[in-house]
Amino acid sequence: MSVELKKPTLKDYKGDQPTWCPGCGHFSVMAGLQRALVNLGLHPHEVIIVSGIGCSSKLPEYTRAYGFHTIHGRALPVAQGAKLAAPEMHVIVTGGDGDGYGIGAGHFVHAVRRNMDITYLVMDNSIYGLTKGQTSPTSPHNFVSKTTVKGNKEYPMDGLSIALANGATFVAQAFSGDVKRMTEIIEAAIKHKGFSLVNVLSPCVTYNKVNTYDFYREHLVDVPEPLPTREEAIRVVKEHGGHVHGILYVEKRPDFQTLLGIDWKMRDIAAGPMDEATIREIEAEFM
Amino acid sequence: METIRTLEWKVGGQQGEGIDSTGEIFARTLFRYGYYVTTYKQFMSRIKGGHTNYKLRATPYPTQHAGDFVDILLALDDETIPINRHELRPGAIVIQEGKETAIREEDGYLLAVFPLKAIATELGNPLAKNMIALGMSGALVSLPVEEFYAFIEKQFEKKGEKVIASNKAAVDKGYALVREHLADRMKRLEPLPRSTERLYISGNEATAFGSFMAGCRFLSAYPITPASEIMEWMAAHLPAVGGTILQVEDEIAGITFAVGAAYAGARAMTSTSGPGMSLKTEALGMAAMSETPIVIVDSQRAGPSTGLPTKHEQSDLFHMLFATHGEIPRIVVYPSSIEDAFYVAAEAFNLAERYQTPVILALDLVLSMNRTTIPRIDAKRVPIDRGKIVTPEEAKKYGEFIFKRYRFTEDGISPRALPGNPYGVHTASSNEHGEDGYITEDPVIRTKIMQKRMEKVKTARLSRPFYVQDGEADVMLVGVGSARGVIEEVARRLREDDGVTVGGLFIQQLKPLPVEELRPYLAGKRMIITVENNYSGQLLQWLRQHFPIHDRSTAITQYDGNPFRVTRVAGEVKEVLDRVRRAQEAHA
Ligand SMILES: Cc1ncc(C[n+]2csc(CCOP(=O)(O)OP(=O)(O)O)c2C)c(N)n1
Ligand code: SF4
Ligand SMILES: [Mg+2]
């Protein structure tokens, strides 16, 4: 069935009523994402948004598109499975720092090195929001919370460097305090053919009194242009303690599905009898 | 010369020394000679070294059991005889690799020692010592040597004339040695009509083949014995039809990739064994909660934990029936033969999509890895049914901004729109949700949608949810999976040797259990005996939940890592029968 489609607008993307706390950084991430999708002329039915569990992971409920609100830490594998089956869809993954760098960290590294053509927005507030304020993998050293009462004795995880070191082809950091820049970054990430990581610094106004809007406004260092090599990108991230802003590194490389070189037809299975000729052909292996 | 119609043969040696392929060559040769061949491999969780053996049983009738005894044993290492001696049939012949040729009667068997390696080296190919032993095996049953030639030509086609010639020479040598030293022990395996209507196939291959034919185009998994072959078979076959497998980072990814692919509209599966099954349990709940159709294969091995990684068991039944938090609809099927593995796997995809829920397909190590002889595939038996997937036209009729993916319907199954459908936009959710997929905590909706999910699978049925044999007998032996092979043999033996008829019931659909259909074969019987490879009699406990059989049922169990021997089970069944008879007499 061919469908006449009007140009998409923000209204098309309006989903359920958000329940986030007023001022939560996640509002801006959603605004940036929706704006980017509209700017790219994509319709909600051409997009799948997959999330894990957390305040951030509620985004697919609040954005009208195909979506899957999965379980804690498993958004990336669900999203990659969907992309394999429906390569024509634009697959976006959203979730928190706990979801992606804690419980889902194993999947994160492998998604990076697999380089499928999907976009991963980590809505990083350095806290477990939905479970009411525990220390997260990106909470600063000595961060005090209900679970690190004498201060966090671990050191924060550096998702950007992990991605860069493992061959990510698009790595960026955005900030909920700058929706305009974020929209540009997300647009570029979606357009990028391959795995794109956008770590969005997205303050939790309720539980994190350290990593606030003001904190980031004060500390973020602008990276106006992607850096020439991944080594240089890692160096810059390290130099500024991760407080960088912009697209850090981009590399053109065939994505996973292109490399597999398969004529993708996973969904084309029609109801009806099995194909007898194929059965006979395969049976020969067993005779 | 004595004519025989069955042969039980075994080759034993060190792992990594071609024991498997030696067994396979003989198995395939006998299969082409017209016999029904069933094999069983015993191996350890290491790659080089350690004893391994390959058992083969050739019969003129179909069977699923590789047999209790051995007529000819090839002992290619020192451990073969001590480990396998108890299986030797009186009068068996053992061919052993040794320093010099010697033939002597041992206690109950004939030991024939030959310096196989030296002979092979003399022939110019030390690697061909197994082929000499194979030639001897063929000669001992008067198999025409051309049967081996045909196989060798095909097997070594790519390696060239020289390799073919040296392997043929090795086989010839085996025949010559038997004629020279063992002529009086030769028998004649009766030639049977050859058939092109049969396949020689393993349970893993049949499962993969069935899934492939059902339209499964994606398999994500993590390697594990005894399930890996399913992934490997699919890896070889899927790309040509626009699909792929993915060896992913762990078993959680195995199931969640499959869930994603299924959500997007592919027929998708994951395959694993117990340890992987444990990791998958949270995502199993997600598949059910989001009403996403996937197929999960659990090829069971001996647990718990890492357990005996290369040994057989049927101890994940409870896990498959109950695992995951909360309550979910699920369908659990368990093919009772290698042939059924094809059809049950194919139907699993239909059930998954028709009922929009996960289907767990149970296998066990013996069912997975044994090969046997089955009739060719009946292409018409399982037509593909994709359930309630809606087209754009159909979705448009609802006229909804947010498509109600979890719409309440009479049968509890909601129309399903696939991503890309312009009129089906929705979010699937692992949180409790209303008809539109959005989170809700409304107690009324929660209750209603819980009922919808749980009740929709009630009518799910495999086309053959169970098999019955001698269903009118008042004692029934009940089993799942590979237990069918032993039960059929036990029933045969009791009938032939003791004139006793016991029934056999082989359940292929464990959940939802087809209680009404099963009732005639379970209720009102004198005795129900389950035959199962686990400690707690899990199948028996599951049946007792559904039938009032507590005072007349028992389980014959074994959990030493090995499959049942017919002799042992037949003996125990007779004991149970005696007990029942004595109790009745005392009563009278
Ligand atoms: C397996 C599992 N463990 C724990 C939880 C509880 N849980 C829900 S959200 C969450 C952390 C969320 O933190 P993050 O991903 O950073 O998202 P945020 O709420 O901060 O946006 C946890 C631990 C769960 N849902 N599932
Ligand atoms: S708790 Fe924090 S992360 Fe969650 S909605 Fe409120 S402000 Fe946002
Ligand atoms: Mg967080």
Side-chain angles (χ1 to χ4, degrees), chain A residues 33-86:
Chain A
L33 172 63
Q34 293 184 353
R35 173 53 71 194
L37 291 168
V38 169
N39 290 352
L40 290 168
L42 295 173
H43 293 90
H45 74 272
E46 299 168 320
V47 176
I48 306 179
I49 307 176
V50 183
S51 69
I53 294 295
C55 295
S56 38
S57 289
K58 289 183 175 172
L59 189 146
E61 308 251 349
Y62 307 151
T63 296
R64 179 177 169 269
Y66 278 96
F68 204 143
H69 189 176
T70 71
I71 47 180
H72 198 31
R74 314 302 165 196
L76 276 171
V78 171
Q80 291 169 89
K83 180 71 184 179
L84 280 163

Side-chain angles (χ1 to χ4, degrees), chain B residues 440-516:
Chain B
T440 181
E441 294 182 357
D442 180 313
V444 176
I445 298 177
R446 155 70 178 184
T447 306
K448 197 170 169 196
I449 203 155
M450 193 68 192
Q451 287 165 350
K452 155 191 157 52
R453 270 196 307 270
M454 296 304 287
E455 284 163 23
K456 69 178 177 178
V457 292
K458 276 191 176 161
T459 58
R461 283 295 179 277
L462 279 176
S463 54
R464 295 186 191 178
F466 55 87
Y467 285 91
V468 194
Q469 172 184 315
D470 291 316
E472 65 298 334
D474 60 0
V475 173
M476 296 297 286
L477 303 185
V478 189
V480 286
S482 64
R484 177 178 181 173
V486 70
I487 291 173
E488 282 175 347
E489 292 288 326
V490 166
R492 187 197 311 269
R493 195 169 303 173
L494 291 176
R495 191 168 49 242
E496 285 172 4
D497 295 0
D498 305 87
V500 176
T501 300
V502 292
L505 179 61
F506 316 118
I507 301 175
Q508 297 205 107
Q509 182 174 320
L510 285 171
K511 201 174 199 174
L513 194 69
V515 175
E516 287 318 310

Side-chain angles (χ1 to χ4, degrees), chain A residues 19-21 23-26 55-56 125 127 129-130 203-207:
Chain A
T19 55
W20 289 318
C21 309
C24 174
H26 299 345
C55 295
S56 38
N125 51 16
I127 197 87
L130 192 62
C204 167
V205 293
T206 307
Y207 294 113

